[in-house]
Amino acid sequence: MAVTIEVLSDLKRISVADLRSYGLTNVPEGVRFSYHFPDGRAGKARLRVALRGADGSKWSAIANEPITAYIAPPNHAFHNSAEMIVVEGESDCWTAWTHGVRTLGIPGSDQTMVLSQDHLDGVRTVYIQRERLDGPNRTFPKGVDHFVDEISDRLVQIGFDGVIRILRMPDPFSDLSDMHVADPASFDERLATARVNSILHPRSL
C-alpha cells in the first residue's frame, strides 16, 4: 500500500487537515515530514515510505540540511508549556499535538544528541515516554531503557535543572499513538493518569 497523508490519517485517527498543519506533504516516494529548529530554520526532512517508521523511513538527500529534533510548528498552542513529553519518532508527536500536549520527537533512538537547551524554553518537567517494548528491537536496537537513560543523560548534559520522569501508558497501550487510536475521547484522561503514575528518573533523585 502506498503511504499517503490520507492513509496515515485513517491509521492514526488524526485529520488530514491536522497532519498537513504539522508539515506533512505527499511526495512521490511517500510522505515528507518537515523538521525545523526552535528559531524556525529548516532542518533535514524525513520521508516515510512504509506505514511504520521502523519499516521504512529515511532522511532527505539534501546534504546541507542539519538533523534536529521533531517539534510542533511555530505558534502551536499547548495546554501547559511547562511540561514536555519526549518520544521516539513522529507519530506520537502528531497525537500529542492534536490534544494540545507539548511533545518533542527524537528522530531515531540513536539521535538523542539533537536535543538542545533551545528545545526546553519554559519547561520544568520532562516526561520521557517508555514504550512497552521488551529487549532490543528495530526501533530501539539497544533496548528502550537505554533510550530513556540516554535522553535523561542528555538533559543533564545540556543543563536542564527541572524534573525528569519516566512515562508509561496504562495497560495495554504501548505509546501515545496507540492509546489515542484505541479511543481518542479517553486520551486526555488516560494521559493524566499516566502522568500521575509516572516515576522519577534516577537522575532526578
Side-chain angles (χ1 to χ4, degrees):
M1 176 186 293
V3 182
T4 64
I5 295 174
E6 292 73 20
V7 168
L8 289 176
S9 173
D10 288 340
L11 181 68
K12 300 298 184 180
R13 299 187 71 178
I14 300 172
S15 74
V16 169
D18 279 342
L19 292 177
R20 291 189 184 279
S21 76
Y22 303 150
L24 277 67
T25 54
N26 287 327
V27 295
E29 302 98 316
V31 176
R32 181 183 187 274
F33 309 144
S34 298
Y35 275 68
H36 62 275
F37 289 86
D39 63 7
R41 288 179 297 127
K44 188 179 286 292
R46 198 154 175 82
L47 300 172
R48 177 73 62 86
V49 296
L51 293 180
R52 293 181 66 253
D55 297 330
S57 288
K58 60 182 181 180
W59 293 108
S60 70
I62 302 176
N64 62 347
E65 290 182 333
I67 295 175
T68 186
Y70 193 55
I71 60 175
N75 302 317
H76 188 84
F78 299 114
H79 298 314
N80 183 359
S81 290
E83 297 183 343
M84 184 173 76
I85 302 174
V86 176
V87 302
E88 190 285 328
E90 297 96 359
S91 60
D92 287 322
C93 291
W94 308 332
T95 293
W97 299 342
T98 298
H99 289 274
V101 177
R102 185 172 180 175
T103 301
L104 175 148
I106 302 296
S109 60
D110 61 344
Q111 296 287 343
T112 56
M113 295 299 288
V114 301
L115 180 60
S116 73
Q117 183 64 46
D118 291 343
H119 293 118
L120 302 172
D121 184 33
V123 175
R124 298 308 306 152
T125 302
V126 171
Y127 294 90
I128 307 172
Q129 177 175 259
R130 200 283 185 192
E131 295 189 28
R132 199 178 301 278
L133 296 170
D134 295 322
N137 53 77
R138 294 178 68 179
T139 302
F140 302 99
K142 296 181 180 180
V144 67
D145 289 318
H146 178 83
F147 171 75
V148 170
D149 289 342
E150 287 286 291
I151 292 296
S152 183
D153 288 345
R154 178 60 178 167
L155 287 166
V156 173
Q157 181 183 41
I158 61 180
F160 179 66
D161 61 358
V163 177
I164 305 171
R165 302 188 70 89
I166 302 173
L167 183 72
R168 297 172 183 253
M169 299 303 102
D171 288 336
F173 310 113
S174 178
D175 55 29
L176 295 171
S177 179
D178 188 23
M179 191 166 68
H180 167 83
V181 168
D183 182 11
S186 299
F187 179 88
D188 291 338
E189 181 179 355
R190 284 171 167 164
L191 179 57
T193 299
R195 281 188 169 123
V196 169
N197 293 332
S198 66
I199 62 173
L200 278 174
H201 192 282
R203 300 295 188 276
S204 281
L205 298 179

